[in-house]
């Protein structure tokens, strides 16, 4: 048996021997997201971090995109596609807070009954599918659009021509700049990282109890 397989089997054995209803149900559920909650939070922080990349990407846009963007200054520019990134960031923050809330409930009500554990896991599944599905797709598409802008004015021109004149980099009119969204996402990453570390510490104390 491979060492990694042995470690995984040992972890599963420890979970069942611990008597934790939550952990037992988590491993028994048929879901794509059976990972521990801190791991899910780490993934959401990484996705939210993708929004912070919009600032350096926009700052690196070549001069040839000037006629297709509202401004070459990321502190002033508010392209339409930025709204997609805003939606993605909002979903990630919302679902991450759902995970944090589920974790705090689990800590406060420890040890959970089977019904309580099932409710917590349902919330985790909802947050995971929404966050990694809808949120991840919105952020991924936004980054792809910004990579298109990085390719230069000809790339944007070709895209606009293929989309019957629809320019994703036209002014959005909402007043939210690329820099402001990036700073907002970066702040969210810091807050979620601190919450993740706090929850992980509390979970370790629960295991030791």
């Amino acid at each position: 048996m491979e060492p990694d397989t042995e470690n995984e089997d040992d972890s599963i054995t420890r979970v069942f021997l611990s008597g934790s209803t939550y952990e037992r149900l988590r491993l028994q559920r048929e879901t794509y997201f059976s990972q521990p909650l801190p791991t899910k939070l780490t993934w959401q922080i990484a996705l939210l971090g993708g929004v912070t990349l919009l600032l350096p990407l926009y700052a690196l846009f070549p001069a040839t995109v000037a006629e297709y963007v509202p401004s070459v200054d990321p502190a002033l520019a508010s392209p339409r596609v930025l709204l997609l990134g805003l939606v993605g960031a909002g979903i990630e923050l919302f679902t991450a807070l759902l995970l944090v809330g589920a974790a705090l409930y689990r800590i406060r009500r420890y040890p959970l009954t089977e019904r309580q554990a099932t409710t917590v896991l349902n919330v985790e599944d909802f947050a995971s599918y929404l966050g990694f599905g809808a949120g991840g797709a919105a952020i991924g598409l936004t980054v792809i659009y910004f990579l298109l802008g990085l390719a230069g004015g000809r790339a944007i021109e070709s895209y606009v021509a293929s989309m019957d004149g629809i320019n994703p980099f036209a002014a959005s009119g909402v007043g939210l700049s690329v820099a402001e969204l990036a700073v907002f996402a970066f702040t969210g990453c810091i807050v979620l990282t601190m919450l993740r570390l706090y929850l992980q510490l509390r979970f370790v104390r629960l295991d030791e109890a």
Side-chain angles (χ1 to χ4, degrees), residues 103-124:
L104 291 175
Y105 178 86
R106 176 184 159 197
I107 292 169
R108 182 178 179 183
R109 299 286 183 174
Y110 183 84
L112 300 182
T113 64
E114 185 158 340
R115 181 176 181 180
Q116 290 172 331
T118 299
T119 300
V120 169
L121 288 167
N122 287 340
V123 172
E124 287 188 30

Side-chain angles (χ1 to χ4, degrees), residues 2-199:
E2 297 295 329
D4 289 344
T5 305
E6 290 180 353
N7 292 335
E8 183 178 351
D9 290 342
D10 289 343
S11 298
I12 294 174
T13 301
R14 283 197 299 270
V15 165
F16 278 91
L17 291 178
S18 70
S20 171
T21 302
Y22 167 87
E23 294 292 354
R24 174 174 56 81
L25 292 178
R26 178 177 67 81
L27 292 177
Q28 290 177 338
R29 285 170 76 86
E30 294 184 2
T31 175
Y32 289 108
F33 302 107
S34 62
Q35 298 79 10
L37 190 142
T39 300
K40 297 174 187 176
L41 277 177
T42 299
W43 293 351
Q44 293 202 323
I45 292 168
L47 284 173
L48 191 58
V51 180
T52 67
L53 295 177
L54 301 182
L55 176 56
L57 286 176
Y58 197 94
L60 290 172
F61 278 10
T64 54
V65 306
E67 63 179 296
Y68 300 100
V69 298
S71 171
V72 294
D73 185 352
L76 300 175
S78 179
R80 288 176 183 171
V81 69
L82 196 66
L83 299 179
L84 185 60
L86 177 61
V87 170
I91 291 175
E92 291 306 326
L93 283 173
F94 170 69
T95 53
L97 290 177
L98 281 180
L99 290 179
V100 171
L104 291 175
Y105 178 86
R106 176 184 159 197
I107 292 169
R108 182 178 179 183
R109 299 286 183 174
Y110 183 84
L112 300 182
T113 64
E114 185 158 340
R115 181 176 181 180
Q116 290 172 331
T118 299
T119 300
V120 169
L121 288 167
N122 287 340
V123 172
E124 287 188 30
D125 279 347
F126 171 77
S128 298
Y129 280 101
L130 180 61
F132 302 133
I139 292 172
L141 284 174
T142 306
V143 172
I144 289 173
Y145 272 114
F146 272 64
L147 290 174
L148 174 67
L150 195 63
R154 287 189 176 181
I156 297 179
E157 181 182 10
S158 298
Y159 178 84
V160 171
S162 67
M163 296 298 290
D164 295 326
I166 299 176
N167 180 9
F169 292 99
S172 67
V174 300
L176 177 69
S177 71
V178 174
E180 288 170 340
L181 180 58
V183 170
F184 171 74
F186 181 72
T187 303
C189 287
I190 293 176
V191 172
L192 291 179
T193 299
M194 294 175 65
L195 287 172
R196 179 194 174 281
L197 292 173
Y198 167 76
L199 292 174

